């Protein structure tokens, strides 16, 4: 990809090449009503020691997903240089404006960070942040772990995932890291909307990219937070960066082989689920019903599974709109 001729407006208060621990910011000038010479301040930590791989760890790509930020603020607080061979770059809140607002997208420009790559140095705030990751941070990395969960609108079985890729060596290394992460479920991921994604940007550079979906509902439980914290350290150990003993966990592999895994609503209304997360469903089984809310006495609309498998994700709020993803069904497979 040809580099954008304009420089990034973001400056780092840390030196990515210096050894030791540094806590600082990615500072993006942002003039607004309450601060004419203001800035968006994105916290960043760099921990480096000796020669080795670089891991780029990110959370709050979407601002209403919390397991990743919790795990990464904790790691940034506790990680010491003597534990590391190589370098760890930690950005707990990639889309800091969205994270501070508790929203999926930025309250400044409504930008969805995970649909904004490669970004623009002269674009919106979200595009400027994406551009900095595209041109500065991703090139530094060998392995990337980007934490996600369902946010306020989805709920997932807690899983770690990587994509099926044309480069089978890159794919195999990603799945090794997924296995080491040790979430209860591990997924061979199919994306339904990959354009502009951070994942795609990293993979096209040849980086080994791993992601998660660790729950949802706009909160983080003790269980899912524990999975994130333990899994992050396991990831760094498997990457050859963290000098420690891993804490391996059993995992069940899932596959999302095609678009029939996804069930979408064509009507709006009150949703009633007929199966819960983690339950097996059959092809054609009713997974949900949608009741029209404008009148009583109307028959609900049924939504049927288009394949047999494990109910892996579901719509979280009680009301659904046309076009919403209602359910995701995956196949249980051998790892």
């Amino acid at each position: 990809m040809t580099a954008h001729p304009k420089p990034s407006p973001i400056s780092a208060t840390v030196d990515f090449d210096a050894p030791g621990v540094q806590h600082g910011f990615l500072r993006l000038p942002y003039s607004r009503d309450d601060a004419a010479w203001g800035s968006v301040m994105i916290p960043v930590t760099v921990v480096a020691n000796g020669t080795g791989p670089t891991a780029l760890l990110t959370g709050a790509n979407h601002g209403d997903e919390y397991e990743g930020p919790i795990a990464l603020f904790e790691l940034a607080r506790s990680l010491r240089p003597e534990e590391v061979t190589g370098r760890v770059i930690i950005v707990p809140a990639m889309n800091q404006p969205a994270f501070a607002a508790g929203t999926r997208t930025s309250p400044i420009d409504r930008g969805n960070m995970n649909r904004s790559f490669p970004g623009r140095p002269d674009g919106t705030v979200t595009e400027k942040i994406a551009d900095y990751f595209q041109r500065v941070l991703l090139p530094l990395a060998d392995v990337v772990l980007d934490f996600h969960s369902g946010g306020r609108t989805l709920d997932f079985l807690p899983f770690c995932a990587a994509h099926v890729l044309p480069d089978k060596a890159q794919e195999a290394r990603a799945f090794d890291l997924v296995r080491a992460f040790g979430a209860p479920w591990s997924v061979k991921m199919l994306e339904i909307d990959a354009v502009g994604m951070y994942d795609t940007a990293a993979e096209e550079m040849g980086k080994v990219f791993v992601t998660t979906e660790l729950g949802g509902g706009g909160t983080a439980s003790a269980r899912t937070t524990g999975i994130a914290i333990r899994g992050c350290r396991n990831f760094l150990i498997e990457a050859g960066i963290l000098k420690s003993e891993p804490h391996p966990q059993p995992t069940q592999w899932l596959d999302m082989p095609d678009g029939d895994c996804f069930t979408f609503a064509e009507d709006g209304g009150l949703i009633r689920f007929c199966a819960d997360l983690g339950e097996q469903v059959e092809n054609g089984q009713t997974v949900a019903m949608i009741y029209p809310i404008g009148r009583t006495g109307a028959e609900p609309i049924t939504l049927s599974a288009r394949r047999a498998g494990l109910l892996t994700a579901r719509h979280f709020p009680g009301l659904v709109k046309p076009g919403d993803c209602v359910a995701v069904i995956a196949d249980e497979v051998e790892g």
Side-chain angles (χ1 to χ4, degrees), residues 83-141:
E83 300 179 87
V84 168
T85 301
R87 177 172 54 181
V88 183
I89 301 171
I90 305 168
V91 186
M94 189 176 178
N95 193 340
Q96 177 69 18
F99 177 65
T103 55
R104 178 177 175 85
T105 62
S106 173
I108 297 172
D109 56 21
R110 294 302 168 195
N112 181 339
M113 181 66 70
N114 215 27
R115 301 297 183 275
S116 297
F117 281 81
R120 293 180 57 87
D122 56 355
T124 66
V125 164
T126 303
E127 290 171 332
K128 289 173 181 176
I129 298 171
D131 170 74
Y132 186 83
F133 273 81
Q134 178 86 31
R135 289 200 286 161
V136 178
L137 294 184
L138 281 176
L140 296 176

Side-chain angles (χ1 to χ4, degrees), residues 55-227:
L56 175 58
L57 310 178
T58 52
N61 189 325
H62 296 129
D64 60 350
E65 303 173 5
Y66 298 109
E67 285 85 357
I70 292 170
L72 295 182
F73 275 114
E74 173 61 23
L75 185 69
R77 180 193 68 81
S78 60
L79 190 61
R80 300 291 178 260
E82 57 269 22
E83 300 179 87
V84 168
T85 301
R87 177 172 54 181
V88 183
I89 301 171
I90 305 168
V91 186
M94 189 176 178
N95 193 340
Q96 177 69 18
F99 177 65
T103 55
R104 178 177 175 85
T105 62
S106 173
I108 297 172
D109 56 21
R110 294 302 168 195
N112 181 339
M113 181 66 70
N114 215 27
R115 301 297 183 275
S116 297
F117 281 81
R120 293 180 57 87
D122 56 355
T124 66
V125 164
T126 303
E127 290 171 332
K128 289 173 181 176
I129 298 171
D131 170 74
Y132 186 83
F133 273 81
Q134 178 86 31
R135 289 200 286 161
V136 178
L137 294 184
L138 281 176
L140 296 176
D142 298 293
V143 295
V144 182
L145 173 58
D146 184 39
F147 281 100
H148 286 265
S149 58
R152 292 185 295 175
T153 63
L154 290 170
D155 196 13
F156 286 89
L157 294 178
F159 67 73
C160 187
H163 296 107
V164 176
L165 299 170
D167 185 329
K168 293 306 173 183
Q170 182 185 12
E171 174 191 293
R173 185 62 181 136
F175 286 138
D176 285 344
L177 289 165
V178 169
R179 187 177 294 106
F181 186 98
W185 284 269
S186 297
V187 175
K188 299 175 180 179
M189 179 75 84
L190 170 70
E191 292 291 352
I192 59 174
D193 181 18
V195 176
M197 291 185 71
Y198 183 43
D199 316 36
T200 306
E203 288 162 352
E204 287 180 348
M205 290 186 190
K207 310 302 179 181
V208 178
F209 187 92
V210 171
T211 189
T212 68
E213 297 288 359
L214 293 178
T219 189
S221 68
R223 177 182 181 233
T224 55
T225 298
I227 292 167

Side-chain angles (χ1 to χ4, degrees), residues 252-268:
Q252 170 62 56
W253 282 85
L254 303 173
D255 187 20
M256 298 178 188
D258 56 45
D260 285 346
C261 296
F262 301 90
T263 302
F264 294 92
E266 296 182 357
D267 301 271

